[in-house]
Amino acid sequence: MTHPLYERHRETLERALAACHSREYWSAYAEMPSGRLYGEDTAEQARAAFNAQLGQPFALAQAGSVDWVGEERSPYGFALDIRYPRADLDVLLPAMQAAMSAWRRAGADTRAGVCLEILARLNRASFEIAEAVMHTTGQAFMMAFQAGGPHAQDRGLEAVAYAWQAMHEQAGSAHWVKPQGKAEPLQLDKTFTVMPRGVALVIGCCTFPTWNGYPGLFASLVTGNAVLVKPHAGAVLPLAITVRICREVLAEAGFDPELVALAVGTPGATLALRPEVRIIDFTGSSANGEWLEHNARQAQVFTEKAGVNSVVIDATDDFRGLVRNLSFSLALYSGQMCTAPQNFYIPRDGIDTEDGHKSFDEVAQALAGGVQKLLSDPARAVEVLGAIQNRGVLERLEAAQQLGAVVLASQAIEHPRYADACVRTPLLLKLDAARDEAVFSHEHFGPIAFCIATDDTAHSIALAKRLIQSHGALTAAVYARDAAVLEAMREAMLEAGVALSENLTGGVFVNQSAAFSDFHGTGANPAANAALSDSAFVASRFRVVQSRRPA
Amino acid sequence: MTHPLYERHRETLERALAACHSREYWSAYAEMPSGRLYGEDTAEQARAAFNAQLGQPFALAQAGSVDWVGEERSPYGFALDIRYPRADLDVLLPAMQAAMSAWRRAGADTRAGVCLEILARLNRASFEIAEAVMHTTGQAFMMAFQAGGPHAQDRGLEAVAYAWQAMHEQAGSAHWVKPQGKAEPLQLDKTFTVMPRGVALVIGCCTFPTWNGYPGLFASLVTGNAVLVKPHAGAVLPLAITVRICREVLAEAGFDPELVALAVGTPGATLALRPEVRIIDFTGSSANGEWLEHNARQAQVFTEKAGVNSVVIDATDDFRGLVRNLSFSLALYSGQMCTAPQNFYIPRDGIDTEDGHKSFDEVAQALAGGVQKLLSDPARAVEVLGAIQNRGVLERLEAAQQLGAVVLASQAIEHPRYADACVRTPLLLKLDAARDEAVFSHEHFGPIAFCIATDDTAHSIALAKRLIQSHGALTAAVYARDAAVLEAMREAMLEAGVALSENLTGGVFVNQSAAFSDFHGTGANPAANAALSDSAFVASRFRVVQSRRPA
């Protein structure tokens, strides 16, 4: 009696669950944009489809559409001019609620099967989504494909796996027999039903709309809720394509497509306070996230906000590797990643390396040199940097030059293929721990980083810990040789509640987080109140309601 | 390398987990107050110990004690005159925080072993706790023993089991190997650490201080948090004994006893807003619970509040069983249970029974007669009713006579052994669904119930559903013969998010909820934002923090 889509994807689900438990490497979706894997013509078709969509309405046929809105511009320098349906919430939300009844009754396995079919279709659309991600977020193509496609799909699958397991931990029925000494036992038959909470709202960001959006979307959908997807106004297309594919698969599987709908042109705050909305997943600024946590009291609110990602540099056996690794972390997507490092805490007396002692200035200069070397060829540079997503980042970058002594100035780079693309290299400043805390104690989202002179590594660790406890962070890193220093940093970061990367000098970067193995966020510091994905991320998206009767 | 206490209690933990999964009957602690099971002299020793405690300070030796406070009175008519240490929070809370480091490092198994040893000691103290529960809550002895002792211990064990499982789902380490085509694979060693959130606050109620308090206490403690227990001022002793036993076991096991401490004499609101407090478990009024949900933003807040417990009577094949069963539910502990039925929805044209049709008035009179019969012998009556816990209940009961037509008046009963005990029988009123909603749409905590005339059973179900969705409920019940009516009620209560009992005419009562099988609360209606206990109740009490390094 299992659903064919569940049967089709059962092995993928089981492998995902095994990976969640072992936390070993696994991925369901191929990360290389290869014609052999994805079809030889697929890349070209996706570009053609993207170009054909420009200037056109995006058809969704969802309930309550009243007019068309859209204002996206590619960071590569042209207007998308795509219009999306704006909904009358008093029509759309009741339609979404009505759709939940059959979806809830279908059960966890069928819902998981449908969600995995959606993910499989999203995977097949990875090139199309990559075009959309590239020309809304400004990511370079490879990142747009990987992070926007297969890596986001892995994160969605991970959320489905956790939620499926949480629902399956609950028995559906029980026969309860309580002995009564010599008398007849008391006997009851009991039924336990997984019930959704209501409409779930996903509020997307403008940098990683799919990667940050899929965990909440799929965790809520598979647990029986309807999902209203509200993209950032600057990055609608990747999530509009996602919603279209969700609706296509739902309809094909015999469910009401209104289970997943797009919300554009209505402020997030308006959506978030609707009584129908019972779950909210948010990625964005601390101000907006905290507003939701404080005001959307009718909903379970999961937030990922801003933080002060921190790197403590104490010593290294591979200074060139350190420089190469951190330079890439700084440059990747122009630092427009919530996981990009910002604060480099370095003793003012310098550090020990395999090449002997390096002064504070030598370390800072080496980082600057590493970035310059990485970005020396414009054609290669733009494939690392991507483009600046919005004017806010650009203005922040320009203003940041005044915040300290410039070690490396930010430069504009002309994109070989997009003349109007806004491409900038990282800005690296020198600051002093004692004097400049007002500067480095908050997030400067974008290609802005600080080399901060501290008294010593103990000071660096204490400062990093204190700022993360008060202002949050999604990542931390340390470079050290002494086991006691590593242990002190581990302890401090456990207490600060942040994921720590140690001595990364090779091909893994502090800003990367791998589904099924790395948690994104911890919920233990102010940068996020949840982790992608763990049992706490899924457990409260449904409730168990029981009935009982004499047997 | 496992802890001896974990080894000692491992089988109990495993059996508890199996019961949570099967939801079949199981109990770890014997519910009969039998000398054979608990020791022949134990009852007498407990009474002597209780009497010896009267008028004395309650020694705890916890950090920061500054003076002594206490104002408990037995509902059986005498002052307890016990004084408890009031703490300087600026001393106690840092001491509790400091105690968490070693407790966290001990790991989930050791913490579970210590928690199960605490529960075993609490079980041995069940007679002592029963005396304390009886003379603070007003419960009759049997209920004080069962609900305050073994049933509460079962609920604590259930919470430990769920939390232990949630922590064990998380791998402690992983070796991550990502293939890189023909190049060397990327390899990382990863460590995952379960971290507590901080100090957990348990805010107890005056009717079931241990039963409602233990789930939060043990769920927080076993996940590595320190627990501050704030009893209701009128029911301190049961939780003070609990805290004493927790501290004794913790110290014997080599941990800092400040991991569990008592808070008396400081308002709950003051405690709840302390930045050290990161988890709150609350049982009490809707006003206080909602205040916490809205204001204690630094904490995870779990609340059980008030609701409108509802019974829909459509038809029955066992009218005498129905009457006997509901009469007991009304009388038990004078209706001072958050699970006691209040609203009986009955069609104004009456119901069909095995004895033929009964008019609305006949049904109401039969319920009144059932209560009268149950309570006709004062010596037996007081063992069902217990005593009225506080003046608020008494005043509400007296005022309630004016709310409708009296079917059964409340009477004072003289207690054979406690001349000054405040004992009252239930008040049963007739109301009309169309006219009196302002009366029956909120909780009248205490021995107050309403027979509400509805147009028909469809009206009854719709009304029950609507009021539960807007005002909450912890229990619902239905009496019906027609499968379609039962199905309609099940659907309505699923959507209202409340546990449903069907056709209870024997020895199981709607107000009873059995650990390991029945959930107490659902989190799906306004009466509670959590369920005792499920995975959502435990999953966010800890966070997982990782570190990773090249392998």
Side-chain angles (χ1 to χ4, degrees):
Chain A
M1 285 280 291
T2 56
H3 194 281
L5 289 177
Y6 178 69
E7 287 307 323
R8 182 184 299 173
H9 298 293
R10 179 180 215 150
E11 193 189 327
T12 303
L13 182 61
E14 284 167 2
R15 293 190 65 185
L17 273 168
C20 291
H21 288 149
S22 74
R23 310 303 293 178
E24 290 172 3
Y25 172 77
W26 186 70
S27 171
Y29 309 107
E31 71 177 359
M32 294 310 293
S34 125
R36 189 174 53 77
L37 296 168
Y38 283 93
E40 293 302 342
D41 301 330
T42 309
E44 202 168 322
Q45 286 164 359
R47 264 191 303 276
F50 172 76
N51 287 326
Q53 179 67 65
L54 299 177
Q56 299 299 317
F58 190 97
L60 274 176
Q62 65 185 33
S65 299
V66 288
D67 54 13
W68 298 86
V69 290
E71 55 184 75
E72 291 162 294
R73 275 192 65 81
S74 171
Y76 292 93
F78 55 92
L80 269 55
D81 195 23
I82 303 172
R83 282 142 288 142
Y84 304 91
R86 190 173 65 85
D88 177 347
L89 297 179
D90 292 329
V91 177
L92 179 58
L93 289 172
M96 296 179 76
Q97 288 180 309
M100 285 168 57
S101 179
W103 183 238
R104 181 260 287 177
R105 277 169 228 270
D109 289 353
T110 296
R111 291 196 300 269
V114 172
C115 285
L116 265 70
E117 177 65 16
I118 293 170
L119 286 162
R121 301 274 187 102
L122 288 170
N123 181 246
R124 294 214 289 277
S126 291
F127 274 96
E128 184 185 357
I129 290 170
E131 294 289 335
V133 168
M134 177 175 171
H135 288 295
T136 52
T137 69
Q139 290 175 20
F141 178 78
M142 182 62 95
M143 177 186 269
F145 183 90
Q146 293 188 331
H151 293 175
Q153 295 145 19
D154 275 335
R155 282 285 179 202
L157 173 56
E158 179 186 57
V160 170
Y162 268 101
W164 182 89
Q165 175 182 272
M167 291 186 285
H168 267 272
E169 276 172 9
Q170 176 56 50
S173 63
H175 183 61
W176 184 85
V177 183
K178 180 174 179 178
Q180 297 292 294
K182 289 169 186 163
E184 281 294 297
L186 299 173
Q187 297 197 48
L188 294 173
D189 284 324
K190 304 188 181 186
T191 306
F192 302 92
T193 304
V194 168
M195 292 293 292
R197 295 193 86 101
V199 174
L201 176 65
V202 175
I203 301 181
C205 65
C206 60
T207 48
F208 291 90
T210 58
W211 197 94
N212 279 102
Y214 285 3
L217 192 170
F218 283 98
S220 288
L221 187 60
V222 77
T223 47
N225 305 282
V227 183
L228 183 60
V229 179
K230 187 232 167 288
H232 190 282
V236 178
L237 187 58
L239 289 175
I241 294 170
T242 301
V243 168
R244 187 194 76 212
I245 291 173
C246 288
R247 294 172 64 91
E248 285 168 3
V249 174
L250 284 163
E252 286 172 30
F255 294 101
D256 188 336
E258 304 300 352
L259 283 166
V260 181
L262 191 72
V264 288
T266 304
T270 303
L271 299 168
L273 297 185
R274 290 286 302 209
E276 299 93 338
V277 170
R278 307 303 303 276
I279 302 170
I280 299 174
D281 286 273
F282 167 86
T283 310
S285 72
S286 292
N288 288 346
E290 284 164 16
W291 186 90
L292 288 169
E293 291 169 9
H294 285 71
N295 291 282
R297 306 296 307 138
Q298 86 291 356
Q300 299 277 307
V301 179
F302 300 89
T303 57
E304 191 213 301
K305 300 164 286 185
V308 184
N309 298 324
S310 304
V311 182
V312 167
I313 304 180
D314 173 69
T316 181
D317 277 332
D318 180 6
F319 188 63
R320 292 174 62 184
L322 175 158
V323 167
R324 212 168 39 230
N325 186 281
L326 289 178
S327 299
F328 188 78
S329 284
L330 282 171
L332 186 61
Y333 186 28
S334 313
Q336 298 171 110
M337 302 178 74
C338 53
T339 52
Q342 173 182 296
N343 287 3
F344 296 83
Y345 299 104
I346 305 162
R348 68 179 87 255
D349 291 339
I351 66 167
D352 287 333
T353 78
E354 78 281 16
D355 287 339
H357 191 80
K358 304 277 183 190
S359 71
F360 175 87
D361 280 342
E362 284 172 325
V363 176
Q365 283 301 335
L367 286 172
V371 172
Q372 282 177 308
K373 185 176 169 194
L374 175 68
L375 304 177
S376 54
D377 169 23
R380 184 176 167 214
V382 297
E383 299 305 327
V384 175
L385 291 166
I388 299 297
Q389 204 277 333
N390 62 66
R391 180 171 300 275
V393 173
L394 198 62
E395 288 170 356
R396 191 178 307 119
L397 175 61
E398 282 164 6
Q401 298 173 63
Q402 314 301 325
L403 296 175
V406 173
V407 183
L408 177 67
S410 174
Q411 293 188 303
I413 290 185
E414 192 163 320
H415 197 293
R417 279 169 295 132
Y418 297 100
D420 295 330
C422 178
V423 181
R424 294 291 184 279
T425 65
L427 169 70
L428 190 60
L429 300 176
K430 269 198 299 192
L431 298 177
D432 187 90
R435 209 177 46 221
D436 300 319
E437 189 170 319
V439 173
F440 64 75
S441 63
H442 62 96
E443 188 181 74
H444 300 254
F445 189 79
I448 302 161
F450 308 117
C451 291
I452 301 162
T454 63
D455 296 342
D456 52 27
T457 293
H459 182 205
S460 297
I461 294 174
L463 187 53
K465 175 180 168 184
R466 177 166 61 77
L467 289 187
I468 294 170
Q469 286 181 323
S470 54
H471 295 85
L474 286 163
T475 61
V478 64
Y479 291 85
R481 299 193 290 199
D482 186 337
V485 172
L486 286 170
E487 189 51 36
M489 183 68 176
R490 273 177 213 151
E491 270 305 297
M493 296 303 101
L494 281 177
E495 291 185 7
V498 67
L500 174 66
S501 294
E502 301 169 15
N503 291 322
L504 296 184
T505 53
V508 177
F509 304 94
V510 65
N511 13 8
Q512 292 176 328
S513 160
F516 309 108
S517 184
D518 294 319
F519 292 106
H520 179 69
T522 64
N525 73 58
N529 76 358
L532 305 180
S533 284
D534 62 9
S535 53
F537 186 68
V538 300
S540 61
R541 290 177 195 261
F542 65 90
R543 307 306 315 181
V544 177
V545 183
Q546 72 173 79
S547 57
R548 60 184 186 177
R549 57 205 66 87
Chain B
M1 285 281 290
T2 57
H3 194 281
L5 289 177
Y6 178 68
E7 288 307 322
R8 183 184 300 173
H9 298 293
R10 178 180 216 151
E11 193 189 327
T12 302
L13 181 62
E14 283 168 2
R15 292 191 64 185
L17 273 168
C20 289
H21 288 149
S22 75
R23 309 303 294 176
E24 291 171 3
Y25 171 77
W26 185 70
S27 172
Y29 309 106
E31 71 178 359
M32 294 310 294
S34 126
R36 190 172 52 76
L37 295 168
Y38 283 93
E40 293 301 341
D41 301 329
T42 310
E44 203 169 319
Q45 286 164 357
R47 263 192 305 276
F50 173 75
N51 287 326
Q53 179 66 68
L54 298 178
Q56 300 300 316
F58 189 97
L60 276 175
Q62 63 185 34
S65 298
V66 288
D67 54 12
W68 297 87
V69 290
E71 55 185 75
E72 292 162 293
R73 274 192 66 81
S74 171
Y76 292 94
F78 56 92
L80 270 55
D81 196 22
I82 303 172
R83 282 143 288 142
Y84 304 90
R86 190 172 65 85
D88 177 348
L89 297 178
D90 292 329
V91 177
L92 179 58
L93 289 172
M96 297 179 75
Q97 288 180 311
M100 285 168 57
S101 179
W103 183 237
R104 182 258 288 177
R105 279 169 228 267
D109 289 353
T110 295
R111 291 196 301 269
V114 172
C115 285
L116 264 70
E117 177 65 17
I118 293 170
L119 285 163
R121 303 275 186 102
L122 288 170
N123 181 246
R124 294 214 287 277
S126 291
F127 273 97
E128 183 185 357
I129 290 170
E131 294 290 335
V133 169
M134 178 175 171
H135 288 295
T136 51
T137 69
Q139 290 175 21
F141 179 79
M142 181 62 95
M143 178 185 267
F145 183 90
Q146 293 189 331
H151 293 175
Q153 295 145 19
D154 275 335
R155 282 286 179 203
L157 173 57
E158 179 186 58
V160 171
Y162 268 100
W164 183 88
Q165 175 181 273
M167 290 186 285
H168 267 271
E169 277 171 9
Q170 177 55 51
S173 63
H175 183 62
W176 184 86
V177 183
K178 180 175 179 177
Q180 296 292 295
K182 289 171 186 161
E184 281 295 297
L186 299 173
Q187 298 197 48
L188 294 173
D189 284 324
K190 304 189 181 186
T191 306
F192 302 93
T193 304
V194 167
M195 291 294 291
R197 294 192 86 101
V199 174
L201 175 66
V202 174
I203 301 181
C205 64
C206 60
T207 48
F208 291 89
T210 58
W211 197 95
N212 278 101
Y214 285 2
L217 192 170
F218 284 98
S220 287
L221 187 60
V222 77
T223 47
N225 305 281
V227 182
L228 183 61
V229 179
K230 186 233 167 287
H232 190 283
V236 178
L237 186 58
L239 289 174
I241 294 170
T242 301
V243 168
R244 188 195 74 212
I245 291 173
C246 289
R247 294 172 64 91
E248 285 168 3
V249 174
L250 285 162
E252 285 172 31
F255 295 101
D256 188 335
E258 305 299 353
L259 283 166
V260 180
L262 191 72
V264 288
T266 305
T270 303
L271 299 168
L273 296 186
R274 290 287 302 208
E276 299 92 339
V277 169
R278 306 303 304 275
I279 302 171
I280 300 174
D281 286 273
F282 167 86
T283 311
S285 71
S286 293
N288 288 347
E290 284 164 16
W291 187 91
L292 288 170
E293 291 169 10
H294 285 73
N295 291 282
R297 307 296 306 138
Q298 86 291 356
Q300 298 278 307
V301 179
F302 300 90
T303 57
E304 192 214 301
K305 300 163 287 184
V308 185
N309 298 325
S310 303
V311 183
V312 168
I313 304 180
D314 174 70
T316 180
D317 278 332
D318 181 5
F319 188 63
R320 290 175 61 184
L322 175 157
V323 167
R324 211 168 40 232
N325 186 282
L326 289 178
S327 300
F328 188 78
S329 285
L330 282 172
L332 186 63
Y333 186 29
S334 312
Q336 297 171 112
M337 302 178 73
C338 54
T339 53
Q342 173 182 296
N343 288 2
F344 297 85
Y345 299 104
I346 306 162
R348 67 179 88 255
D349 292 340
I351 66 166
D352 288 332
T353 77
E354 78 281 17
D355 288 337
H357 192 78
K358 304 277 184 192
S359 71
F360 175 87
D361 280 341
E362 285 171 326
V363 176
Q365 283 299 336
L367 286 172
V371 172
Q372 283 177 307
K373 186 176 169 193
L374 175 67
L375 304 177
S376 54
D377 169 22
R380 186 177 166 212
V382 297
E383 299 305 327
V384 175
L385 291 167
I388 299 297
Q389 205 278 334
N390 61 65
R391 183 172 297 275
V393 174
L394 198 63
E395 288 169 356
R396 192 179 306 120
L397 175 61
E398 282 163 7
Q401 299 174 61
Q402 315 302 324
L403 297 175
V406 173
V407 184
L408 176 66
S410 175
Q411 292 188 303
I413 288 185
E414 193 164 319
H415 198 291
R417 279 170 293 133
Y418 298 99
D420 295 330
C422 178
V423 182
R424 293 292 184 278
T425 66
L427 170 70
L428 190 61
L429 300 175
K430 271 198 300 192
L431 298 176
D432 186 90
R435 211 179 43 223
D436 300 318
E437 189 169 318
V439 173
F440 63 77
S441 63
H442 62 97
E443 187 181 73
H444 300 254
F445 190 79
I448 302 161
F450 309 116
C451 291
I452 301 162
T454 64
D455 297 342
D456 53 27
T457 293
H459 182 205
S460 297
I461 294 174
L463 188 52
K465 175 180 167 182
R466 178 167 59 77
L467 289 188
I468 293 170
Q469 286 181 323
S470 53
H471 295 86
L474 286 163
T475 62
V478 64
Y479 291 86
R481 301 193 290 201
D482 187 336
V485 172
L486 286 169
E487 188 51 35
M489 183 69 176
R490 273 177 213 152
E491 269 304 298
M493 296 303 100
L494 280 177
E495 292 186 6
V498 67
L500 175 65
S501 294
E502 301 170 14
N503 292 321
L504 296 184
T505 54
V508 177
F509 304 94
V510 65
N511 9 10
Q512 293 176 326
S513 161
F516 309 108
S517 184
D518 294 319
F519 292 106
H520 178 69
T522 64
N525 73 58
N529 76 358
L532 306 180
S533 281
D534 62 9
S535 52
F537 187 68
V538 300
S540 61
R541 291 176 195 260
F542 64 91
R543 308 305 315 181
V544 177
V545 182
Q546 72 174 79
S547 58
R548 60 183 186 177
R549 58 205 66 86

